[in-house]
Amino acid sequence: MKKILLVVITLLTCITLTDAQQVDRSKFVKDSLDYYINRALTNWRIPGAAVCIVKDNKIVLMKAYGIKELGQPDKVDINTLFMIGSNTKAFTATALAMLQNDNKLSLDDKVTKYLPKFKLENKMAGEQAIIRDLLCHRLGFQTFQGDFTFYNTNLTREDVIKKLGEIKAAYPFRTKWGYTNAAFLTAGQIIPVVTGKPWEVYLKENIFAPLGMTNTLALSADMPKSLNRTVPHTLIDGRLSPIPYCQIDGLAPAGGISSSISDMSKWVLALLNDGKVGARQVIPLPAIKATREAQDIVGPTHHLNGETDYELYGLGWFIQDYTGHHLVMHDGGVNGYLSSVTLVPQEHLGIIILTNTDQNDFFEALRWDIMDAYFKMPNRNYNDVYLEKFKAQASVDEAADKKLKDSVALNPLPALPITKYTGKYINDLYGKMEVTQGLNNDLEIRFEHHTRMYVHLQPLGGNRFYATFSDPTMGKAIFPFNVQNGDVKGVTVKVADFVERDPYEFRKE
């Protein structure tokens, strides 16, 4: 009876709270947000985060939470750096739109006007592609196509552009949207041709410095040298662990920037104030408008309130409507980091969320809960909904991985002598890798362009091996070897979908 009474009281309390929140959500940011964030960081196991809300040209909230590195006492502050990943793209697109405003180029200029060596496997597409195509992901590639070759490798920017031209696009030119990091890199490389200054220098002189973003770094190579920086984290076999910084300066215009919540607030304040800082026009308004013009359809998007709409893409920004409000937004993700930037221009509202783990949906859930509060919408507690889904998927993944580990523990013998699998392999796009013999019947793979990474292969029986990457971002997979008449002809390499969705076929040399 006491238990029933307790349940009834709890339900009544929840109903009362929900009704109150439906009537007046205005106190959420002022009175409840701190508790919400701290609880979420614990539940998601996020070491450190930083959050900023700007409204009507003022900072409503700017606060840092947690620690820079697991097991270390140093706390995050508002000037602590996080890698922002693909939130870099809006800076690159804005820089090119600024050059258009200065009549230094047109976004409708052909890419080959500035990069004569630029080619695509589809010859006509390479000849016809314009800068705008690069900035809105409509070259015809599938999302993340080629990124295993480009991401966190030793390839130069010139190498990336050359190899991009060797990929057979999944779709005809301009027929389908597909997120292409190497295209943004290509766009960024037009800046030095036009200005005589590298992408990173142009951004510093024309965006970072004028906005007062004094701590922001354009290159990932500079992040480890900073004195006030977070450390990236991920989950490895269910345990939160610090991991090395990714080195993605070969793709820097697509995702290389590191910034603090204080610096990012200056960027967002300027974008919501028509490019002005006080009376100074730092970013021309036509340049801002150019980046927010929808260029392509991404696909349908579904919200917890039951709304279904279409998400569009501008230049470095996703665009959608939500409860009658026009949103301009982007997420960013690199090894150990996830972030989001959201603009609601008509409401003069901006939301920035930075985290130093790549295993959370908190960065996404929080923005929707904040927007619902400002839009006077009922409390849907996106965070708990996202967390439940995340845990459910994690359980499925853990069960599948345990099954593979159990199979390995039975010590099954491979179909052929282990030395048959060793040797040098090649993929026409990626390049070379080498398979060598390890302990017992294990194998090890080293890649030509991922010089700091290896893959540990353990027999699953037959010609299949359980693959564990030393870089946890790349994931775990089954690598099947292609065997014909007792000879190994090749092997299928698969990385995590976060990096690239399709497998690579390496043939034995």
Side-chain angles (χ1 to χ4, degrees):
M1 184 65 184
K2 289 182 179 179
K3 288 184 179 179
I4 294 173
L5 183 59
L6 180 61
V7 169
V8 172
I9 293 172
T10 302
L11 285 172
L12 288 172
T13 303
C14 290
I15 292 168
T16 302
L17 287 172
T18 302
D19 288 343
Q21 287 165 333
Q22 288 175 346
V23 172
D24 185 6
R25 300 287 313 287
S26 62
K27 296 182 180 179
F28 172 73
V29 171
K30 182 180 178 182
D31 297 340
S32 306
L33 192 57
D34 241 20
Y35 171 78
Y36 174 109
I37 293 173
N38 283 310
R39 174 177 173 268
L41 297 188
T42 299
N43 291 340
W44 285 102
R45 292 189 284 174
I46 299 172
V51 179
C52 180
I53 303 172
V54 302
K55 182 79 169 73
D56 299 326
N57 297 325
K58 295 179 181 178
I59 293 174
V60 174
L61 175 139
M62 182 194 294
K63 192 165 182 181
Y65 299 84
I67 53 177
K68 299 175 183 177
E69 180 178 1
L70 192 66
Q72 301 297 322
D74 292 346
K75 293 184 178 181
V76 178
D77 61 52
I78 62 170
N79 295 309
T80 302
L81 295 176
F82 294 74
M83 293 192 75
I84 66 169
S86 286
N87 278 302
T88 299
K89 289 181 172 66
F91 287 91
T92 298
T94 300
L96 285 159
M98 290 168 68
L99 290 172
Q100 174 176 258
N101 189 74
D102 292 341
N103 296 316
K104 299 290 181 61
L105 57 75
S106 168
L107 295 175
D108 295 316
D109 285 340
K110 290 183 179 180
V111 178
T112 52
K113 178 178 178 179
Y114 305 98
L115 303 174
K117 294 182 180 179
F118 175 77
K119 291 184 174 74
L120 293 175
E121 190 272 340
N122 178 338
K123 186 172 182 293
M124 181 276 292
E127 293 171 349
Q128 295 299 316
I130 60 176
I131 299 172
R132 192 182 302 275
D133 294 322
L134 301 177
L135 296 174
C136 69
H137 306 295
R138 65 182 184 198
L139 292 178
F141 293 105
Q142 177 176 275
T143 290
F144 301 154
Q145 191 173 355
D147 274 2
F148 172 55
T149 298
F150 307 139
Y151 184 77
N152 208 10
T153 66
N154 62 1
L155 294 176
T156 66
R157 297 177 193 179
E158 291 73 21
D159 292 335
V160 171
I161 294 173
K162 182 177 182 297
K163 283 185 175 288
L164 178 65
E166 299 170 6
I167 303 174
K168 184 173 178 57
Y171 312 107
F173 181 49
R174 290 181 183 157
T175 61
K176 195 166 182 179
W177 184 88
Y179 197 85
T180 309
N181 283 303
F184 256 84
L185 170 272
T186 305
Q189 284 303 91
I190 292 172
I191 292 175
V193 176
V194 174
T195 67
K197 297 177 180 180
W199 166 85
E200 55 270 25
V201 173
Y202 182 84
L203 257 63
K204 181 177 181 179
E205 292 180 356
N206 293 274
I207 297 179
F208 298 164
L211 291 180
M213 299 175 68
T214 55
N215 293 316
T216 299
L217 306 173
L219 299 179
S220 61
D222 293 332
M223 181 63 161
K225 305 171 190 174
S226 173
L227 296 177
N228 190 1
R229 56 182 166 81
T230 53
V231 169
H233 296 78
T234 196
L235 292 174
I236 303 175
D237 293 328
R239 295 181 61 184
L240 187 67
S241 303
I243 58 174
Y245 294 98
C246 64
Q247 296 298 323
I248 55 170
D249 290 338
L251 286 171
I257 292 177
S258 299
S259 191
S260 66
I261 200 70
S262 176
D263 277 9
M264 289 298 289
S265 73
K266 296 169 184 175
W267 166 241
V268 169
L269 279 166
L271 293 179
L272 290 172
N273 192 33
D274 295 339
K276 294 180 180 178
V277 177
R280 286 187 302 124
Q281 189 77 48
V282 175
I283 304 171
L285 180 57
I288 293 176
K289 289 182 176 180
T291 65
R292 296 178 188 173
E293 291 176 3
Q295 305 293 326
D296 211 346
I297 298 173
V298 178
T301 182
H302 309 282
H303 297 288
L304 288 187
N305 66 358
E307 285 188 14
T308 297
D309 207 334
Y310 276 92
E311 188 167 47
L312 310 174
Y313 202 85
L315 304 179
W317 292 109
F318 288 94
I319 300 167
Q320 60 175 280
D321 287 329
Y322 175 63
T323 66
H325 300 274
H326 184 67
L327 309 183
V328 178
M329 59 207 299
H330 215 289
D331 297 337
V334 292
N335 296 33
Y337 291 98
L338 287 168
S339 64
S340 69
V341 176
T342 305
L343 311 175
V344 191
Q346 284 76 19
E347 300 285 340
H348 302 286
L349 172 66
I351 303 165
I352 312 155
I353 301 157
L354 311 175
T355 69
N356 65 339
T357 166
D358 57 21
Q359 296 294 310
N360 79 87
D361 289 327
F362 162 77
F363 77 102
E364 185 174 354
L366 176 58
R367 70 173 168 209
W368 295 113
D369 276 322
I370 291 173
M371 279 191 282
D372 276 357
Y374 274 100
F375 300 160
K376 296 180 172 57
M377 301 295 293
N379 177 22
R380 295 184 177 85
N381 202 341
Y382 277 85
N383 189 70
D384 285 358
V385 175
Y386 280 35
L387 182 61
E388 184 179 348
K389 290 181 179 179
F390 182 90
K391 287 182 175 179
Q393 184 59 53
S395 295
V396 171
D397 294 341
E398 288 170 11
D401 190 51
K402 183 179 183 302
K403 188 175 180 180
L404 291 173
K405 288 180 177 177
D406 289 344
S407 297
V408 168
L410 296 173
N411 295 314
L413 292 175
L416 302 174
I418 201 69
T419 54
K420 285 275 194 177
Y421 302 97
T422 61
K424 295 182 178 180
Y425 293 71
I426 191 168
N427 174 273
D428 290 338
L429 173 64
Y430 181 91
K432 298 179 180 180
M433 73 176 197
E434 185 173 7
V435 180
T436 58
Q437 185 173 355
L439 298 175
N440 303 318
N441 284 319
D442 293 353
L443 296 171
E444 189 172 285
I445 296 179
R446 298 276 177 176
F447 293 92
E448 177 183 6
H449 300 301
H450 288 87
T451 56
R452 300 186 300 171
M453 183 182 76
Y454 65 89
V455 183
H456 183 207
L457 299 183
Q458 297 170 283
L460 287 169
N463 296 303
R464 298 162 69 249
F465 288 76
Y466 172 64
T468 305
F469 287 84
S470 62
D471 177 355
T473 306
M474 296 289 181
K476 300 174 182 178
I478 297 173
F479 285 10
F481 283 80
N482 175 20
V483 175
Q484 298 177 17
N485 300 320
D487 291 327
V488 176
K489 300 297 184 181
V491 61
T492 301
V493 171
K494 178 70 179 76
V495 297
D497 288 347
F498 172 83
V499 179
E500 184 164 2
R501 296 172 181 175
D502 287 342
Y504 278 61
E505 299 297 335
F506 282 80
R507 63 181 183 275
K508 195 171 185 184
E509 291 185 293

Coordinates of all heavy atoms in Angstrom, one line a residue, residues 428-481:
D428 N 43.8 0.8 -54.7 CA 44.2 1.8 -55.7 C 44.0 3.2 -55.1 O 44.7 4.2 -55.5 CB 43.3 1.6 -56.9 CG 43.7 0.4 -57.7 OD1 44.8 -0.1 -57.5 OD2 42.8 -0.1 -58.4
L429 N 43.0 3.5 -54.3 CA 42.8 4.8 -53.7 C 43.7 5.0 -52.5 O 44.5 6.0 -52.5 CB 41.4 5.0 -53.3 CG 41.1 6.3 -52.5 CD1 41.3 7.5 -53.4 CD2 39.7 6.3 -52.0
Y430 N 43.7 4.1 -51.5 CA 44.4 4.3 -50.3 C 45.9 4.3 -50.5 O 46.7 5.1 -50.0 CB 44.0 3.3 -49.2 CG 44.7 3.6 -47.9 CD1 44.2 4.4 -46.9 CD2 46.0 3.0 -47.7 CE1 44.9 4.7 -45.8 CE2 46.7 3.3 -46.5 CZ 46.1 4.1 -45.6 OH 46.8 4.4 -44.4
G431 N 46.3 3.2 -51.1 CA 47.8 2.9 -51.2 C 48.1 1.6 -50.5 O 47.3 0.6 -50.6
K432 N 49.2 1.5 -49.8 CA 49.8 0.2 -49.3 C 49.5 0.0 -47.9 O 49.3 0.9 -47.1 CB 51.3 0.2 -49.6 CG 51.6 0.3 -51.1 CD 53.1 0.3 -51.3 CE 53.5 0.3 -52.7 NZ 55.0 0.3 -52.9
M433 N 49.5 -1.3 -47.6 CA 49.5 -1.8 -46.2 C 50.2 -3.1 -46.1 O 50.4 -3.8 -47.2 CB 48.1 -1.9 -45.6 CG 47.3 -3.1 -46.1 SD 45.7 -3.4 -45.3 CE 45.3 -5.1 -45.8
E434 N 50.7 -3.5 -44.9 CA 51.4 -4.7 -44.8 C 50.9 -5.5 -43.7 O 50.6 -5.0 -42.6 CB 52.9 -4.4 -44.6 CG 53.8 -5.7 -44.5 CD 55.3 -5.4 -44.5 OE1 55.6 -4.2 -44.3 OE2 56.0 -6.4 -44.6
V435 N 50.7 -6.8 -43.9 CA 50.2 -7.8 -42.9 C 51.4 -8.6 -42.4 O 52.1 -9.2 -43.2 CB 49.1 -8.7 -43.4 CG1 48.7 -9.7 -42.4 CG2 48.0 -7.9 -44.0
T436 N 51.7 -8.6 -41.1 CA 52.8 -9.4 -40.6 C 52.3 -10.3 -39.5 O 51.1 -10.2 -39.0 CB 53.8 -8.4 -39.9 OG1 53.2 -7.6 -38.9 CG2 54.5 -7.5 -41.0
Q437 N 53.1 -11.3 -39.1 CA 52.7 -12.3 -38.1 C 53.0 -11.8 -36.7 O 54.1 -11.2 -36.5 CB 53.4 -13.6 -38.4 CG 52.9 -14.7 -37.4 CD 53.6 -16.1 -37.8 OE1 54.3 -16.2 -38.8 NE2 53.3 -17.1 -37.0
G438 N 52.0 -11.9 -35.8 CA 52.2 -11.6 -34.4 C 52.4 -12.8 -33.6 O 52.9 -13.9 -34.0
L439 N 52.0 -12.7 -32.3 CA 52.0 -13.8 -31.4 C 50.9 -14.9 -31.7 O 49.9 -14.5 -32.3 CB 51.8 -13.4 -30.0 CG 52.9 -12.4 -29.4 CD1 52.5 -11.9 -28.0 CD2 54.3 -13.1 -29.4
N440 N 51.2 -16.1 -31.4 CA 50.3 -17.2 -31.7 C 49.9 -17.2 -33.2 O 50.7 -17.2 -34.0 CB 49.1 -17.1 -30.8 CG 49.4 -17.1 -29.3 OD1 50.3 -17.8 -28.9 ND2 48.8 -16.2 -28.5
N441 N 48.6 -17.2 -33.5 CA 48.2 -17.1 -34.8 C 47.6 -15.8 -35.2 O 46.8 -15.6 -36.1 CB 47.1 -18.2 -35.1 CG 47.7 -19.6 -35.2 OD1 48.7 -19.7 -35.9 ND2 47.0 -20.6 -34.7
D442 N 48.0 -14.8 -34.4 CA 47.5 -13.4 -34.6 C 48.3 -12.7 -35.8 O 49.4 -13.1 -36.1 CB 47.7 -12.5 -33.4 CG 46.8 -13.0 -32.3 OD1 45.9 -13.9 -32.5 OD2 46.9 -12.5 -31.1
L443 N 47.6 -11.7 -36.4 CA 48.3 -10.9 -37.4 C 48.2 -9.5 -37.0 O 47.5 -9.1 -36.1 CB 47.5 -11.1 -38.7 CG 47.5 -12.5 -39.4 CD1 46.5 -12.6 -40.5 CD2 48.9 -12.9 -39.8
E444 N 49.1 -8.7 -37.7 CA 49.1 -7.2 -37.4 C 49.2 -6.5 -38.8 O 49.9 -6.9 -39.7 CB 50.3 -6.9 -36.6 CG 50.3 -5.4 -36.1 CD 51.3 -5.2 -35.1 OE1 51.2 -5.6 -33.9 OE2 52.4 -4.5 -35.4
I445 N 48.4 -5.4 -38.9 CA 48.4 -4.6 -40.1 C 49.0 -3.2 -39.8 O 48.6 -2.6 -38.8 CB 47.0 -4.5 -40.7 CG1 46.4 -5.8 -41.1 CG2 47.0 -3.5 -41.9 CD1 45.0 -5.8 -41.7
R446 N 49.8 -2.8 -40.7 CA 50.3 -1.4 -40.7 C 50.0 -0.7 -42.0 O 50.2 -1.3 -43.1 CB 51.8 -1.4 -40.5 CG 52.3 -2.0 -39.2 CD 52.3 -1.0 -38.0 NE 52.6 -1.6 -36.8 CZ 52.8 -0.9 -35.6 NH1 52.5 0.4 -35.6 NH2 53.1 -1.5 -34.5
F447 N 49.5 0.5 -41.9 CA 49.1 1.2 -43.1 C 50.1 2.3 -43.5 O 50.7 3.0 -42.6 CB 47.7 1.9 -42.8 CG 46.6 0.9 -42.7 CD1 46.2 0.5 -41.4 CD2 45.9 0.5 -43.8 CE1 45.2 -0.4 -41.2 CE2 44.8 -0.4 -43.6 CZ 44.5 -0.9 -42.3
E448 N 50.2 2.5 -44.8 CA 51.1 3.5 -45.3 C 50.9 4.9 -44.8 O 51.8 5.6 -44.5 CB 51.1 3.4 -46.9 CG 52.0 4.4 -47.6 CD 51.8 4.4 -49.1 OE1 50.9 3.7 -49.6 OE2 52.6 5.1 -49.7
H449 N 49.7 5.3 -44.8 CA 49.4 6.7 -44.5 C 48.9 7.0 -43.0 O 48.9 8.1 -42.6 CB 48.4 7.3 -45.5 CG 48.8 7.2 -46.9 ND1 50.0 7.9 -47.3 CD2 48.3 6.6 -48.0 CE1 50.2 7.6 -48.6 NE2 49.2 6.9 -49.0
H450 N 48.5 5.9 -42.3 CA 48.2 6.0 -40.9 C 49.4 5.5 -40.1 O 49.4 4.4 -39.6 CB 47.0 5.2 -40.5 CG 45.7 5.8 -41.0 ND1 45.2 5.5 -42.3 CD2 44.8 6.6 -40.5 CE1 44.0 6.1 -42.5 NE2 43.8 6.8 -41.4
T451 N 50.4 6.3 -40.0 CA 51.7 5.8 -39.5 C 51.7 5.5 -38.0 O 52.6 4.8 -37.6 CB 52.8 6.9 -39.8 OG1 52.4 8.2 -39.3 CG2 53.0 7.0 -41.4
R452 N 50.7 6.1 -37.3 CA 50.7 5.9 -35.9 C 49.7 4.8 -35.5 O 49.5 4.6 -34.3 CB 50.3 7.2 -35.1 CG 51.3 8.3 -35.4 CD 51.0 9.5 -34.6 NE 49.6 10.1 -34.8 CZ 49.0 11.0 -34.1 NH1 49.7 11.5 -33.1 NH2 47.8 11.4 -34.4
M453 N 49.1 4.1 -36.4 CA 48.1 3.2 -36.2 C 48.4 1.8 -36.7 O 49.1 1.6 -37.6 CB 46.8 3.7 -36.9 CG 45.5 2.8 -36.6 SD 44.1 3.4 -37.5 CE 44.5 2.9 -39.2
Y454 N 47.9 0.8 -36.0 CA 48.0 -0.6 -36.4 C 46.7 -1.3 -36.1 O 45.8 -0.8 -35.4 CB 49.2 -1.4 -35.8 CG 49.0 -1.5 -34.3 CD1 48.3 -2.7 -33.7 CD2 49.5 -0.6 -33.4 CE1 48.2 -2.8 -32.4 CE2 49.3 -0.8 -32.0 CZ 48.7 -1.9 -31.5 OH 48.5 -2.1 -30.2
V455 N 46.5 -2.5 -36.7 CA 45.3 -3.3 -36.5 C 45.7 -4.7 -36.0 O 46.6 -5.3 -36.7 CB 44.4 -3.4 -37.8 CG1 43.2 -4.2 -37.5 CG2 44.1 -2.1 -38.4
H456 N 45.1 -5.1 -35.0 CA 45.4 -6.5 -34.4 C 44.3 -7.4 -34.9 O 43.1 -7.2 -34.8 CB 45.4 -6.4 -32.9 CG 45.7 -7.7 -32.2 ND1 45.2 -8.0 -31.0 CD2 46.4 -8.8 -32.6 CE1 45.7 -9.2 -30.6 NE2 46.4 -9.7 -31.6
L457 N 44.8 -8.5 -35.6 CA 43.8 -9.5 -36.2 C 43.9 -10.8 -35.4 O 45.0 -11.4 -35.3 CB 44.1 -9.7 -37.6 CG 44.0 -8.5 -38.6 CD1 44.3 -9.0 -40.0 CD2 42.7 -7.9 -38.5
Q458 N 42.8 -11.3 -35.0 CA 42.7 -12.6 -34.3 C 41.8 -13.5 -35.0 O 40.7 -13.1 -35.5 CB 42.2 -12.4 -32.8 CG 43.1 -11.5 -32.0 CD 42.4 -11.2 -30.7 OE1 41.6 -10.3 -30.6 NE2 42.8 -11.8 -29.6
P459 N 42.2 -14.8 -35.2 CA 41.4 -15.7 -36.0 C 40.0 -16.0 -35.5 O 39.8 -16.1 -34.2 CB 42.2 -17.0 -36.0 CG 43.6 -16.6 -35.6 CD 43.4 -15.4 -34.7
L460 N 39.0 -16.0 -36.4 CA 37.7 -16.4 -36.1 C 37.3 -17.7 -36.7 O 36.2 -18.2 -36.6 CB 36.7 -15.3 -36.6 CG 36.7 -14.0 -35.8 CD1 35.9 -13.0 -36.5 CD2 36.1 -14.2 -34.4
G461 N 38.3 -18.4 -37.3 CA 38.0 -19.6 -38.1 C 37.9 -19.3 -39.5 O 37.4 -18.2 -39.9
G462 N 38.2 -20.3 -40.4 CA 38.1 -20.0 -41.8 C 39.1 -18.9 -42.2 O 40.3 -18.9 -41.7
N463 N 38.7 -18.0 -43.0 CA 39.5 -16.9 -43.4 C 39.1 -15.6 -42.9 O 39.4 -14.5 -43.4 CB 39.6 -16.9 -45.0 CG 40.2 -18.1 -45.6 OD1 41.3 -18.4 -45.3 ND2 39.4 -18.8 -46.4
R464 N 38.4 -15.6 -41.7 CA 37.9 -14.4 -41.1 C 38.7 -14.1 -39.9 O 39.0 -15.0 -39.1 CB 36.4 -14.6 -40.8 CG 35.5 -14.8 -42.0 CD 34.2 -15.4 -41.6 NE 33.3 -14.5 -40.9 CZ 33.0 -14.6 -39.6 NH1 33.4 -15.7 -38.9 NH2 32.2 -13.7 -39.0
F465 N 38.9 -12.8 -39.6 CA 39.7 -12.4 -38.5 C 39.0 -11.2 -37.8 O 38.4 -10.4 -38.4 CB 41.1 -11.9 -38.9 CG 42.0 -13.1 -39.3 CD1 41.9 -13.7 -40.5 CD2 43.0 -13.5 -38.4 CE1 42.7 -14.7 -40.9 CE2 43.9 -14.5 -38.8 CZ 43.7 -15.1 -40.0
Y466 N 39.1 -11.2 -36.5 CA 38.5 -10.2 -35.6 C 39.5 -9.0 -35.6 O 40.7 -9.2 -35.1 CB 38.2 -10.7 -34.2 CG 37.8 -9.7 -33.2 CD1 36.6 -9.0 -33.3 CD2 38.6 -9.5 -32.0 CE1 36.2 -8.1 -32.3 CE2 38.2 -8.6 -31.1 CZ 37.0 -7.9 -31.2 OH 36.7 -7.0 -30.2
A467 N 39.1 -7.9 -36.0 CA 40.1 -6.7 -36.2 C 39.8 -5.7 -35.1 O 38.7 -5.2 -35.0 CB 39.9 -6.1 -37.6
T468 N 40.9 -5.3 -34.4 CA 40.8 -4.2 -33.4 C 41.8 -3.2 -33.8 O 43.0 -3.4 -33.8 CB 41.1 -4.8 -32.0 OG1 40.2 -5.9 -31.7 CG2 40.9 -3.7 -31.0
F469 N 41.4 -2.0 -34.0 CA 42.3 -0.9 -34.4 C 42.9 -0.3 -33.1 O 42.2 -0.2 -32.1 CB 41.5 0.2 -35.1 CG 41.1 -0.1 -36.5 CD1 40.0 -0.8 -36.8 CD2 41.9 0.3 -37.6 CE1 39.6 -1.1 -38.1 CE2 41.5 0.1 -38.9 CZ 40.4 -0.7 -39.2
S470 N 44.2 0.1 -33.2 CA 44.8 0.8 -32.1 C 44.2 2.1 -31.9 O 44.2 2.7 -30.8 CB 46.3 0.9 -32.3 OG 46.6 1.7 -33.5
D471 N 43.7 2.7 -32.9 CA 42.9 4.0 -32.8 C 41.5 3.6 -32.6 O 40.8 3.2 -33.5 CB 43.1 4.8 -34.1 CG 42.3 6.1 -34.1 OD1 41.5 6.3 -33.1 OD2 42.4 6.9 -35.0
P472 N 40.9 3.8 -31.4 CA 39.6 3.3 -31.1 C 38.5 4.0 -32.0 O 37.4 3.4 -32.2 CB 39.4 3.6 -29.6 CG 40.4 4.6 -29.3 CD 41.5 4.4 -30.2
T473 N 38.8 5.2 -32.5 CA 37.8 5.8 -33.4 C 37.5 5.0 -34.6 O 36.4 5.1 -35.2 CB 38.4 7.2 -33.8 OG1 38.8 7.9 -32.6 CG2 37.4 8.0 -34.6
M474 N 38.5 4.2 -35.0 CA 38.3 3.4 -36.2 C 37.4 2.2 -36.0 O 37.0 1.5 -36.9 CB 39.7 3.0 -36.8 CG 40.5 4.1 -37.3 SD 39.9 4.9 -38.8 CE 41.1 6.1 -39.1
G475 N 37.2 1.8 -34.7 CA 36.3 0.8 -34.4 C 36.8 -0.6 -34.4 O 38.1 -0.8 -34.3
K476 N 35.9 -1.6 -34.4 CA 36.3 -3.0 -34.5 C 35.4 -3.6 -35.6 O 34.4 -3.1 -36.0 CB 35.9 -3.7 -33.2 CG 36.7 -3.1 -32.0 CD 36.2 -3.8 -30.7 CE 36.9 -3.2 -29.5 NZ 36.4 -3.8 -28.2
A477 N 36.0 -4.7 -36.2 CA 35.3 -5.2 -37.4 C 35.7 -6.7 -37.6 O 36.6 -7.2 -37.0 CB 35.5 -4.4 -38.6
I478 N 35.1 -7.3 -38.6 CA 35.5 -8.6 -39.1 C 36.2 -8.3 -40.5 O 35.6 -7.7 -41.4 CB 34.4 -9.6 -39.3 CG1 33.7 -9.9 -37.9 CG2 34.8 -10.9 -39.9 CD1 32.4 -10.7 -38.0
F479 N 37.5 -8.8 -40.6 CA 38.2 -8.7 -41.9 C 38.2 -10.1 -42.5 O 38.9 -11.0 -42.1 CB 39.6 -8.2 -41.6 CG 39.8 -6.8 -41.3 CD1 38.7 -5.9 -41.0 CD2 41.1 -6.2 -41.3 CE1 38.9 -4.6 -40.7 CE2 41.2 -4.9 -41.0 CZ 40.2 -4.1 -40.7
P480 N 37.5 -10.2 -43.6 CA 37.5 -11.5 -44.3 C 38.6 -11.4 -45.4 O 38.7 -10.5 -46.2 CB 36.1 -11.6 -44.9 CG 35.7 -10.2 -45.1 CD 36.4 -9.4 -44.1
F481 N 39.4 -12.5 -45.5 CA 40.4 -12.6 -46.6 C 39.8 -13.3 -47.8 O 39.1 -14.3 -47.6 CB 41.7 -13.3 -46.1 CG 42.6 -12.5 -45.2 CD1 42.3 -12.3 -43.9 CD2 43.7 -11.9 -45.8 CE1 43.1 -11.5 -43.1 CE2 44.6 -11.1 -45.0 CZ 44.3 -10.9 -43.6

